[in-house]
């Protein structure tokens, strides 16, 4: 199986986090997002321990909220000692509702609105990660109005292509994010920021891409960033306190995806960063990273009920489910890979070639193509889509006026509880006047 929280019962049913998925589907209905709380905590601890071990005190992982944002996740992040990155007032509001201390939060995005800046400062945001000079001007103005000095990092583009999907690769020079080192704009924004009385520059940030497995992407990014940091120290006397290397470690969606050992990877980045600092004659800044997917993806599983099975002889077979692109838009967005399992028929051979499609009026409403399910697959079966803990609920919509599924948390091998309730038909009209 692609992750060790997936097993099969003697009666041929899929177990997730030790619990029977068919029974969970019966109890909570479908479509249903399941989240394995023990796995989320385990993934957090792998990062926090690796950071402590390889970088020392001060270094810390920040959970990238965009991967999955709901109140319970921030309670878990608080309990696990994780910082967070947020990109909107909505994520900030959700974190606040969970009692998360915003002083530990980093506010990203390439276009923070004036309202975002006002709202987050009002609630004591720890840091802004400013994308461009316009944002620095807006942050400076709001901080001056409040009579405070706001801590900021600057997002830079180190110009690395991590050989990942084009649509989720954000560290290249022509990216819509950040200021490029190569074009001189990174230095310009640094000098500009240093001249602002109500903004305190504490460091730099980069994010080279997502679902990254390539060997040395983070090491190369760290070295490029540290060379820039040394340059700023030499030319402008600016000593960088924090370097945030973004998120992006890959997870296993399908069997062909490699295993990635976070402790080893963080150790390699630390070795490269320490080596670069020694060579450049600078102190190692506090290193941060922002894992999202690798904290929550393999803690998620979505259950659906199968409806129509359509066979077009000589062409194609379709298995339709009671959800689709509104609860998981990732195939529609960038042809993302997923493993689909026949939760109620795990003991049958899988020889029926098909595509799993959603119920929306949209031919791109596909969950996965070219997969195999049992020949007997039919109406009422439970289908599981694995590794859906990241960028599914957080990207979900109400397209075709479909209510969003609930999130049910699993823990301790037998306990389950609702963290986000299922949307009702009334919820769909809640804002309609
Ligand atoms: C700035 C930033 N940080 C962190 C992340 C999280 O990346 P991942 O979920 O791949 O770890 C992203 C994802 O797009 C990002 O844009």
């Amino acid at each position: 199986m692609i992750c060790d929280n997936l097993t099969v019962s003697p009666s041929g049913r899929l177990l997730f986090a030790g619990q029977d998925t068919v029974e969970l589907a019966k109890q909570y209905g479908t479509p249903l997002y399941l989240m394995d709380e023990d796995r989320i905590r385990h993934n957090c601890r792998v990062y926090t321990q690796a950071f402590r071990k390889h970088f020392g005190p001060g270094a810390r992982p920040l959970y990238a909220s965009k991967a999955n944002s709901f109140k319970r996740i921030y309670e878990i992040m608080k309990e696990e000692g994780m910082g967070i990155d947020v990109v909107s007032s909505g994520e900030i509001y959700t974190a606040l509702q969970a009692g998360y201390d915003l002083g530990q939060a980093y506010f990203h995005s390439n276009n923070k609105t004036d309202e975002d800046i006002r709202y987050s400062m009002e609630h004591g945001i720890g840091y802004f990660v400013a994308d461009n000079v316009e944002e620095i001007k807006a942050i400076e103005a709001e901080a001056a109005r409040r009579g405070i000095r706001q801590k900021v990092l600057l997002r830079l583009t180190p110009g690395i292509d991590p050989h990942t999907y084009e649509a989720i690769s954000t560290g290249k020079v022509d990216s819509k994010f950040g200021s490029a080192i190569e074009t001189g704009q990174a230095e310009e924004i640094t000098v500009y920021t240093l001249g602002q009385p109500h903004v305190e520059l504490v460091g730099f940030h980069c994010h080279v891409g997502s679902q990254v497995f390539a060997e040395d992407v983070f090491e190369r990014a760290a070295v490029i960033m540290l060379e820039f940091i040394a340059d700023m120290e030499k030319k402008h006397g600016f000593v960088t306190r924090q370097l945030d290397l973004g998120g992006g470690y890959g997870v296993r969606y399908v069997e062909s995806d490699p295993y990635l050992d976070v402790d080893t990877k963080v150790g390699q980045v630390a070795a490269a960063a320490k080596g670069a600092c020694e060579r450049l004659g600078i102190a190692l800044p506090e290193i941060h990273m922002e894992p999202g997917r690798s904290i929550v993806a393999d803690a998620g599983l979505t259950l659906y009920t199968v409806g129509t099975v359509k066979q077009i002889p000589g062409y194609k077979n379709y298995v339709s489910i009671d959800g689709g692109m509104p609860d998981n838009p990732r195939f529609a967005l960038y042809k993302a890979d997923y493993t689909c399992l026949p939760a109620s028929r795990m003991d049958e051979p899988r020889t029926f070639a098909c595509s799993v499609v959603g119920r929306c009026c949209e031919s791109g409403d596909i969950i996965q193509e070219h997969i195999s399910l049992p020949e007997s697959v039919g109406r009422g079966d439970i289908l599981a889509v694995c590794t859906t803990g990241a960028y599914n609920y957080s990207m979900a919509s109400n397209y075709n006026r479909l209510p969003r599924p609930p999130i049910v948390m699993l823990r301790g091998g037998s306990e389950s509880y609702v963290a986000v309730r299922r949307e009702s038909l009334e919820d769909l009209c809640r804002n309609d006047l």
Side-chain angles (χ1 to χ4, degrees):
M1 293 273 206
I2 49 168
C3 184
D4 60 10
N5 56 0
L6 292 162
T7 49
V8 179
S9 76
S11 61
R13 284 179 169 188
L14 179 68
L15 305 181
F16 184 55
Q19 300 192 43
D20 186 324
T21 54
V22 179
E23 290 305 318
L24 288 163
K26 242 186 248 165
Q27 186 180 346
Y28 294 103
T30 60
L32 173 64
Y33 294 121
L34 296 175
M35 292 294 290
D36 174 354
E37 180 178 332
D38 301 329
R39 172 63 53 157
I40 298 172
R41 290 185 187 277
H42 167 82
N43 290 341
C44 289
R45 286 170 202 177
V46 167
Y47 271 101
T48 48
Q49 284 161 17
F51 267 64
R52 225 170 283 141
K53 177 167 137 196
H54 298 294
F55 288 118
R60 73 194 300 211
L62 318 172
Y63 169 62
S65 299
K66 59 184 80 68
N68 205 340
S69 177
F70 55 102
K71 273 164 59 177
R72 182 70 186 131
I73 205 94
Y74 294 108
E75 289 169 1
I76 296 172
M77 292 307 140
K78 187 168 106 181
E79 287 162 16
E80 295 299 329
M82 299 278 290
I84 58 168
D85 107 34
V86 291
V87 294
S88 70
S89 296
E91 287 182 353
I92 288 174
Y93 177 80
T94 311
L96 285 171
Q97 295 305 300
Y100 191 90
D101 169 17
L102 264 204
Q104 313 299 314
Y106 288 68
F107 194 151
H108 284 269
S109 130
N110 63 312
N111 185 20
K112 300 162 191 72
T113 65
D114 290 344
E115 180 52 24
D116 283 335
I117 292 170
R118 191 199 60 71
Y119 180 77
S120 50
M121 274 197 209
E122 185 176 312
H123 291 281
I125 187 87
Y127 305 86
F128 282 98
V129 181
D131 185 272
N132 51 65
V133 170
E134 268 184 52
E135 280 194 353
I136 291 291
K137 287 181 182 164
I139 294 166
E140 167 66 25
E142 185 60 26
R145 207 174 66 74
R146 292 173 182 274
I148 61 166
R149 235 177 142 223
Q150 176 63 50
K151 292 191 174 70
V152 301
L153 284 80
L154 297 175
R155 179 163 181 167
L156 310 182
T157 44
I160 289 175
D161 180 351
H163 304 294
T164 177
Y165 309 121
E166 184 67 20
I168 47 176
S169 159
T170 54
K172 293 196 293 178
V173 172
D174 59 356
S175 163
K176 80 165 179 171
F177 298 99
S179 307
I181 294 176
E182 195 180 307
T183 60
Q185 284 167 308
E187 180 169 358
E188 272 167 38
I189 189 172
T190 302
V191 172
Y192 181 84
T193 305
L194 287 171
Q196 303 308 303
H198 298 92
V199 166
E200 180 186 352
L201 183 61
V202 297
F204 299 98
H205 167 276
C206 67
H207 171 78
V208 289
S210 268
Q211 190 58 357
V212 175
F213 286 108
E215 261 304 294
D216 59 349
V217 167
F218 290 95
E219 289 88 322
R220 284 192 290 133
V223 170
I224 292 170
M225 294 295 283
L226 287 163
E227 283 168 350
F228 176 79
I229 284 168
D231 204 30
M232 292 306 98
E233 194 167 321
K234 202 162 74 198
K235 286 191 185 152
H236 307 291
F238 174 63
V239 178
T240 298
R241 279 183 274 153
Q242 295 185 12
L243 170 60
D244 183 338
L245 296 170
Y249 281 134
V251 300
R252 275 165 61 75
Y253 286 102
V254 288
E255 291 291 348
S256 54
D257 285 331
Y259 284 98
L260 194 143
D261 183 67
V262 167
D263 179 67
T264 308
K265 285 298 199 184
V266 170
Q268 287 164 352
V269 177
K274 286 173 187 168
C277 286
E278 218 165 280
R279 172 171 63 80
L280 296 163
I282 56 171
L284 180 71
E286 263 180 30
I287 304 286
H288 298 167
M289 281 176 115
E290 297 159 347
R293 188 187 312 270
S294 51
I295 296 289
V296 287
D298 66 5
L301 182 88
T302 308
L303 297 178
Y304 301 99
T305 302
V306 172
T308 307
V309 176
K310 183 177 286 182
Q311 304 195 28
I312 309 172
Y315 289 91
K316 209 168 173 174
N317 302 320
Y318 289 101
V319 171
S320 303
I321 50 168
D322 58 351
M325 63 187 282
D327 60 76
N328 182 357
R330 293 190 64 251
F331 187 89
L333 277 175
Y334 27 68
K335 298 237 176 315
D337 286 331
Y338 279 106
T339 297
C340 303
L341 297 173
S344 40
R345 300 176 187 275
M346 291 297 288
D347 48 357
E348 293 182 28
R350 290 169 217 162
T351 49
F352 182 67
C354 58
S355 292
V356 172
V357 296
R359 56 177 295 191
C360 289
C361 299
E362 182 71 45
S363 45
D365 176 19
I366 298 168
I367 292 293
Q368 202 58 205
E369 290 193 300
H370 311 303
I371 66 148
S372 297
L373 291 173
E375 294 288 336
S376 61
V377 64
R379 204 171 185 88
D381 280 2
I382 300 300
L383 187 96
V385 179
C386 307
T387 331
T388 55
Y391 305 107
N392 274 226
Y393 175 68
S394 59
M395 283 186 164
S397 75
N398 290 122
Y399 183 53
N400 278 189
R401 235 19 181 183
L402 293 178
R404 270 176 283 226
I407 299 178
V408 166
M409 308 290 290
L410 308 179
R411 68 180 167 203
S414 59
E415 200 189 330
S416 63
Y417 64 95
V418 178
V420 177
R421 69 171 171 78
R422 184 181 296 285
E423 281 181 344
S424 63
L425 294 179
E426 293 75 39
D427 287 335
L428 294 174
C429 283
R430 204 172 345 126
N431 298 323
D432 294 15
L433 298 175

